Amino acid sequence: MESQNLTSVPEFLLLGLSEEPALQPVLFGLFLSMYLITVAGNLLIVLTVSSDKRLHTPMYFFLSNLSLVDIGFISTTVPKMLVNIQTQNKSITYVGCLTQVSFLYLLGCWDSLLLTVMAYDRFVAICSPLHYAVVMNAHRCGFLVLVSFFISLLDSQLECLLVSQVTFCTTVEIPHFFCDPTQIVKFGCSATTISTILLNCVVAIIGGVPVSGILFSYTRIISAILRVSSSSGKYKAFSTCGSHLVIVCLFYGTGFGVYLTSAISSSARKVAVASVMYTMVTPMLNPFIYSLRNGDIKSALQRLLSRTI
């Protein structure tokens, strides 16, 4: 069969997590609930931080940005999956697939870089407390968020460019609930080895650099905390990092779990199920982790709710 360029393929088929008809209502109800909880929880964090002047600090500025990115991240994949389940139509257009890839990597990379910036913020707060107000001023905080965005934008455009170079010979049936570039390139009838290697290199760089920055920050943070003489001082210093550290472990732990699943298992459907963890579960749990483990957030949330009731 004559090879077609990707742009000439009218649509792809997203096979989702299961093709069993009896499971479709269950999956629809489950993922709709997770989506609504995620959006409501993260919006509540944003409203709480913006409405309370006591939370107008760099740490909570980055947290509110992280919550907005999490809303966008889950909105990139779940609504389309819900529509496909409800309409029993698994198709997604070429433009829609590339758009999903672009936003998925833009927001996923931005999420990762914001976690790195938050680790840097905690590093400055604990290791250089006297210089914290000067180093983490409003202009620098805004600059760090913008730089994170532009790096993420560059990453997403590189991913789209690599995917757009692949050619196909037949209709593409993706055993996933979103357009995953690593899955798409497997169905190319042209040589995809270079595209696969480049995709893995980009992901490794974009994932490895933030992880290295976070590990460096927390190495210095732990070293500084251990030098504190009083146990109460150690607890207070570490408590300011607790919520962020839990989110970092959850985000990168689930991402690493998906990578291991794809490397060990030959079943693409198992990889898709594992992907639910970092695309849906992690954004859903982030607001709860910060609201339950952070006294300032809990107090501000109570004040916000008391004003609205």
Side-chain angles (χ1 to χ4, degrees), residues 17 35 50-51 53 57 64 91 94 98 118 130 149 158 170 172 182 189 192 200 209 249 257 266 269 290 302 309:
L17 297 175
Y35 179 70
S50 60
S51 65
K53 291 184 178 180
T57 62
S64 60
S91 67
Y94 163 74
L98 276 191
M118 293 171 75
L130 298 179
F149 169 76
L158 283 174
T170 183
V172 180
T182 58
C189 58
T192 60
N200 290 330
V209 172
C249 293
S266 58
R269 192 56 59 82
Y290 259 98
Q302 290 172 356
I309 296 177

Side-chain angles (χ1 to χ4, degrees), residues 22-276:
L23 285 178
Q24 301 309 307
V26 176
L27 292 175
F28 181 84
L30 175 63
F31 294 129
L32 178 61
S33 300
M34 293 174 67
Y35 179 70
L36 294 177
I37 291 171
T38 301
V39 172
N42 282 286
L43 277 179
L44 195 57
I45 291 290
V46 174
L47 289 173
T48 302
V49 172
S50 60
S51 65
D52 197 314
K53 291 184 178 180
R54 279 166 284 198
L55 299 182
H56 291 180
T57 62
M59 180 172 70
Y60 296 113
F61 169 73
F62 295 133
L63 174 61
S64 60
N65 278 276
L66 182 69
S67 294
L68 288 173
V69 172
D70 279 341
I71 292 173
F73 187 57
I74 195 172
S75 297
T76 303
T77 57
V78 176
K80 177 59 180 175
M81 180 178 64
L82 294 175
V83 170
N84 287 358
I85 293 174
Q86 187 67 20
T87 62
Q88 296 298 304
N89 182 4
K90 300 176 182 178
S91 67
I92 182 171
T93 63
Y94 163 74
V95 174
C97 193
L98 276 191
T99 301
Q100 192 176 69
V101 169
S102 177
F103 278 99
L104 185 71
Y105 277 86
L106 167 65
L107 296 167
C109 180
W110 200 2
D111 208 326
S112 176
L113 291 175
L114 282 176
L115 289 174
T116 309
V117 170
M118 293 171 75
Y120 173 70
D121 172 71
R122 293 299 83 205
F123 161 69
V124 176
I126 293 175
C127 297
S128 303
L130 298 179
H131 300 94
Y132 179 73
V134 176
V135 174
M136 300 303 295
N137 56 67
H139 293 292
R140 179 161 296 178
C141 291
F143 174 75
L144 289 172
V145 171
L146 284 176
V147 168
S148 300
F149 169 76
F150 284 116
I151 293 175
S152 304
L153 182 63
L154 176 62
D155 172 50
S156 68
Q157 296 311 301
L158 283 174
E159 299 286 350
C160 284
L161 179 63
L162 291 172
V163 173
S164 67
Q165 302 305 307
V166 181
T167 56
F168 295 88
C169 300
T170 183
T171 301
V172 180
E173 295 185 349
I174 307 170
H176 218 302
F177 59 92
F178 62 84
C179 290
D180 184 1
T182 58
Q183 294 289 334
I184 294 173
V185 297
K186 292 179 181 179
F187 296 95
C189 58
S190 59
T192 60
T193 305
I194 296 177
S195 296
T196 302
I197 292 173
L198 290 175
L199 278 170
N200 290 330
C201 287
V202 171
V203 171
I205 293 171
I206 294 299
V209 172
V211 169
S212 300
I214 292 172
L215 289 176
F216 172 78
S217 296
Y218 272 103
T219 300
R220 299 291 299 274
I221 287 170
I222 292 172
S223 176
I225 291 175
L226 292 177
R227 290 197 298 268
V228 177
S229 56
S230 65
S231 57
S232 61
K234 291 180 180 179
Y235 175 78
K236 183 178 180 180
F238 187 75
S239 65
T240 63
C241 307
S243 299
H244 175 258
L245 192 56
V246 171
I247 290 176
V248 166
C249 293
L250 188 62
F251 182 83
Y252 287 105
T254 54
F256 187 64
V258 171
Y259 175 79
L260 283 180
T261 303
S262 62
I264 296 172
S265 175
S266 58
S267 172
R269 192 56 59 82
K270 289 182 179 180
V271 176
V273 173
S275 298
V276 172

